[in-house]
Amino acid sequence: MSHKTTMGGPDESFEQTHWSEILDARTTDDARRSAAVSYIARRYWKPVYCYLLRKGYDGEHCKDLTQGFFTDVLLERQLIQKADPAKGKFRSLLLTALNNYVVSAHRSETAGKRADARPLLSIGDTEDLPIAEDRASVTPADAFNYAWASDVLNGVLTELQAEYTSHDMASHWAVFREHVVLPVLEGSRPRPLKELCAQYGVEEAQQMSEIVRNAKRAFGKLLRKHIGQTVGSEDEIDAEIADLMAAVSKPGARGGSGVRID
Amino acid sequence: MNPEPRRRPVGEDIAKLLAIGRNAETAAGGEPGEREAERALSGLLSSPPPAEWLETAPLDGHPLPPGRPLREVLTDGSLSVAAARIIKEEIKRRFRSHDETKAVHDASVAAYLAAIANALVFHGEKISSYSYRDLGGAFARMAEKPWMEPELVPLFLRARDVCKNKMNRKA
């Protein structure tokens, strides 16, 4: 078992992929714009759906409204044109737009003018989405943020696992998973380092402790990379992580399998 | 490996994972003082509350849960206000001692505030003479420390929100 890792990518891992896509959607080329909006819809449909569900709409209605939101607001009303990395987080802009959309959608439906939802994205299985169970204490915005944070963490953990596996270090991922991730997600006690040493053929607990530390750092680096893709600059990463932590710390937010690990 | 989670993740679990990621890049590779504080806090929270604390627990049917690490005790919603008060007072005694390092002092302050946060979040009781404004600020700062134990971060954030609400209601 090797104990050195470059998992989590190089130090200069900040990328603007997410914002690049958003800014790309400003093009006058319809095909490119539609592709960029589809990308954003794929990234954000779960939080949008959870928000609508928490608003009290049933599953089918949520699907319609989710489609409608991305088509009407992002594609046709060109919310993207207003998006500016210098003016704050895209997540906040989307949440505000969603709030306004729900009000106007309700108005349209009341007036018998329900918008025809053209399918922009394929909404998959919604059974296991992270939905707030304690509805009294969880606002729709909380549900949105919880689903978004879960999705980001899913992406980070999936990439970390893939990186470890591709570097023939699957055992490091297994240690991280059993000693850090599962205890947090399941509320169980971490498996003792000595036990993990015996299972994975590591001689000293100190070495195992180093593996755990390195895995946490790799996880941290990837988390910063993923969050970095959704904010305007690297300076905003810490603030966004703190904001998400505060948003999901409210009691009652409870997942389906909010964060999955295989 | 167990493919079936024992329970579904809650928002606080997501916050803990985010805190682990945030802290890993700073505390683990950060300033020596931060690493020392992280170690001191981890050591303090991994041990059960000392037996002598139990001796001072009031006999009102709410003694300290014996044998459990302080980390679990401080984040447990069933910890009584009386027990939280004992932990707070005992830890205060500890950090008032002058011969401890800064790291141990910082760790003790974190545990002290966690005891106050527990009573506030789970019982709505303020067991400190500090104002809600001061406490809210202290909880917020604790949650932001790169060396903070991820288990305590959601507790501090919730306590900060309680303080904010109390202040808003007063205003």
Side-chain angles (χ1 to χ4, degrees):
Chain A
M1 195 172 187
S2 157
H3 307 304
K4 293 201 169 156
T5 176
T6 54
M7 296 294 110
D11 282 337
E12 62 281 9
S13 59
F14 181 69
E15 295 171 16
Q16 286 198 309
T17 309
H18 192 77
W19 268 107
S20 305
E21 290 288 342
I22 291 167
L23 297 178
D24 207 29
R26 291 179 171 179
T27 176
T28 49
D29 177 338
D30 280 353
R32 260 178 68 200
R33 190 154 58 91
S34 184
V37 170
S38 288
Y39 163 83
I40 294 162
R42 282 197 303 279
R43 284 294 309 264
Y44 282 96
W45 78 262
K46 287 178 189 170
V48 168
Y49 184 93
C50 290
Y51 171 100
L52 293 166
L53 207 58
R54 177 62 194 86
K55 271 277 182 191
Y57 296 103
D58 66 34
E60 283 310 305
H61 206 163
C62 284
K63 285 182 182 175
D64 284 351
L65 285 171
T66 302
Q67 294 278 8
F69 173 67
F70 287 113
T71 308
D72 297 348
V73 179
L74 263 74
L75 200 56
E76 291 179 4
R77 275 186 237 159
Q78 303 186 343
L79 175 77
I80 300 294
Q81 303 297 341
K82 297 176 197 162
D84 180 351
K87 286 185 185 167
K89 290 167 293 207
F90 186 68
R91 176 170 63 88
S92 306
L93 176 72
L94 205 63
L95 196 49
T96 306
L98 184 56
N99 233 331
N100 295 337
Y101 176 73
V102 168
V103 173
S104 64
H106 179 71
R107 215 178 286 137
S108 303
E109 285 173 18
T110 310
K113 295 184 287 181
R114 184 173 171 177
D116 177 28
R118 279 139 293 186
L120 181 76
L121 76 158
S122 162
I123 294 183
D125 185 11
T126 55
E127 286 296 306
D128 214 16
L129 286 182
I131 309 296
E133 286 183 357
D134 180 1
R135 296 192 165 208
S137 61
V138 177
T139 65
D142 293 337
F144 178 98
N145 288 324
Y146 178 77
W148 173 243
S150 299
D151 220 37
V152 169
L153 281 172
N154 263 327
V156 172
L157 291 171
T158 302
E159 188 172 340
L160 184 64
Q161 180 181 14
E163 282 199 17
Y164 270 131
T165 306
S166 70
H167 285 76
D168 204 16
M169 294 164 74
S171 56
H172 289 226
W173 161 255
V175 165
F176 180 63
R177 178 182 183 275
E178 290 175 45
H179 190 70
V180 178
V181 182
L182 285 182
V184 169
L185 294 180
E186 298 180 357
S188 57
R189 294 202 174 187
R191 279 190 67 199
L193 292 180
K194 279 188 180 169
E195 234 181 85
L196 292 168
C197 283
Q199 181 173 345
Y200 294 106
V202 173
E203 283 180 12
E204 292 179 19
Q206 180 58 37
Q207 277 179 308
M208 187 54 88
S209 175
E210 200 55 35
I211 290 171
V212 171
R213 189 174 286 272
N214 283 338
K216 281 185 182 178
R217 294 190 71 182
F219 171 66
K221 216 175 252 187
L222 281 177
L223 177 67
R224 295 181 68 79
K225 185 183 100 171
H226 280 240
I227 295 283
Q229 290 169 355
T230 71
V231 294
S233 72
E234 187 157 14
D235 297 341
E236 294 168 46
I237 295 175
D238 285 326
E240 172 67 346
I241 293 175
D243 206 34
L244 281 176
M245 285 198 295
V248 299
S249 282
K250 295 177 183 174
R254 185 178 295 270
S257 307
V259 177
R260 297 159 200 254
I261 41 174
D262 299 320
Chain B
M1 284 182 211
N2 179 9
E4 288 299 318
R6 275 173 42 190
R7 65 165 170 76
R8 290 178 164 190
V10 296
E12 291 190 4
D13 301 330
I14 303 296
K16 283 178 206 164
L17 271 185
L18 289 168
I20 288 170
R22 180 198 64 178
N23 295 1
E25 270 289 271
T26 44
E31 298 296 314
E34 291 174 346
R35 288 202 297 273
E36 281 168 25
E38 185 190 29
R39 270 197 290 270
L41 182 58
S42 177
L44 175 62
L45 296 178
S46 297
S47 313
E52 57 265 28
W53 293 8
L54 298 171
E55 290 167 13
T56 62
L59 298 173
D60 62 354
H62 300 289
L64 285 175
R68 294 168 61 204
L70 195 53
R71 173 186 293 106
E72 284 183 22
V73 172
L74 287 172
T75 52
D76 187 343
S78 66
L79 182 74
S80 70
V81 173
R85 209 183 287 273
I86 290 168
I87 294 173
K88 184 200 90 168
E89 290 304 321
E90 291 292 344
I91 289 177
K92 183 160 74 178
R93 206 165 297 161
R94 185 187 147 115
F95 72 68
R96 279 190 171 164
S97 128
H98 294 292
D99 55 355
E100 63 185 17
T101 63
K102 181 175 184 307
V104 171
H105 177 85
D106 289 348
S108 303
V109 170
Y112 166 83
L113 284 167
I116 298 173
N118 181 297
L120 206 52
V121 167
F122 298 115
H123 302 284
E125 286 208 30
K126 184 157 79 72
I127 59 170
S128 162
S129 56
Y130 287 108
S131 67
Y132 283 114
R133 177 181 297 279
D134 288 344
L135 284 175
F139 294 142
R141 283 191 295 278
M142 280 291 138
E144 287 169 9
K145 297 282 183 197
W147 48 265
M148 185 48 60
E149 179 85 7
E151 293 284 323
L152 297 186
V153 170
L155 179 69
F156 285 133
L157 290 171
R158 284 179 64 183
R160 180 204 60 181
D161 288 347
V162 172
C163 292
K164 257 190 206 167
N165 291 340
K166 294 278 185 187
M167 283 162 55
N168 289 342
R169 251 178 250 162
K170 270 187 184 174

